[in-house]
Amino acid sequence: MELVRVVQGDITKLEVDAIVNAANEQMLGGSGVDGAIHGAAGPQLREACEQVEQWRPGVRCPTGEARITPGFNLPSKWVIHTVGPIWHGGGYGESNYLANCYRNCLQLAVEHDVRSLAFPAISCGVYGFPANRAAMIAHREIASFTMVEDFFDEILLVAFDEAMCRVLQSATASV
Ligand code: APR
């Protein structure tokens, strides 16, 4: 079976070791997938996020980095929170920051013996990152990481809607 699969659905329902949250630097919840994950995990998730050390006032997870907490009421044992870049047109290192998100989430997963992992389309909602470009970055970073690190059983790229599903599938086909 393929290591990396594209699925369509609600990431909070997936029975994997860890799901990735597209958070913001404060890591105290939000809308989109962040809101859905906090809603499904319950209030303990926000309490756990409040315990994450502030790298500077108001910033627990700088853009491009990743932090891990338990999943509480979620089916997944862990939530790996990452903060994608806000799209400002492409000239501000957005692609590198997004690549760092994938790499840092994968590295944190290995450190916590996470064998099955699900990613949402980081930065492709509120943060406005072009979906096609984001999908290529996701596939490229996962492929290069897993070429070296033969560790994972399953990596899911989760599309919330049909349009994103098609984008993620076409990106897979071209890697
Ligand atoms: N399951 C899977 N994917 C989802 C779900 C869900 N339940 N809900 C939303 N998505 C998808 C969106 O359709 C989009 O394709 O997740 C992708 C990322 O969109 P956002 O959640 O808006 O995340 P992002 O663009 O990274 O913006 C992050 O939004 O919610 C706030 O606190 C968050 O400030 C942060 C910002």
Side-chain angles (χ1 to χ4, degrees):
M1 186 171 77
E2 284 293 305
L3 170 64
V4 181
R5 285 190 302 123
V6 174
V7 296
Q8 183 177 339
D10 178 349
I11 201 168
T12 67
K13 305 277 195 279
L14 296 178
E15 303 204 0
V16 288
D17 293 343
I19 60 173
V20 172
N21 181 21
N24 58 52
E25 291 190 332
Q26 273 192 311
M27 266 186 73
L28 297 180
S31 57
V33 71
D34 197 6
I37 288 173
H38 275 268
Q44 289 174 288
L45 181 59
R46 180 178 166 118
E47 288 162 16
C49 289
E50 285 166 349
Q51 301 307 312
V52 173
E53 187 190 351
Q54 296 198 50
W55 181 72
R56 66 167 187 264
V59 175
R60 290 181 177 81
C61 185
T63 299
E65 294 193 17
R67 301 287 187 271
I68 193 166
T69 67
F72 299 109
N73 300 337
L74 286 162
S76 59
K77 181 178 180 188
W78 302 102
V79 178
I80 295 177
H81 307 260
T82 193
V83 180
I86 299 173
W87 182 254
H88 292 296
Y92 299 88
E94 297 98 322
S95 293
N96 289 338
Y97 278 117
L98 188 60
N100 290 345
C101 287
Y102 284 94
R103 265 200 305 277
N104 286 323
C105 288
L106 290 162
Q107 185 52 43
L108 209 45
V110 169
E111 290 165 10
H112 287 75
D113 199 28
V114 165
R115 304 280 168 155
S116 55
L117 179 64
F119 285 98
I122 302 162
S123 281
C124 292
V126 167
Y127 282 0
F129 204 106
N132 289 305
R133 186 186 289 230
M136 293 299 290
I137 291 167
H139 283 290
R140 187 193 67 210
E141 291 307 318
I142 293 169
S144 57
F145 189 97
T146 53
M147 223 177 286
V148 175
E149 189 79 65
D150 178 22
F151 173 83
F152 293 100
D153 298 333
E154 179 178 55
I155 296 176
L156 301 179
L157 292 177
V158 185
F160 202 40
D161 54 47
E162 177 68 34
M164 181 55 77
C165 206
R166 282 197 300 274
V167 168
L168 287 169
Q169 282 167 339
S170 60
T172 317
S174 58
V175 169

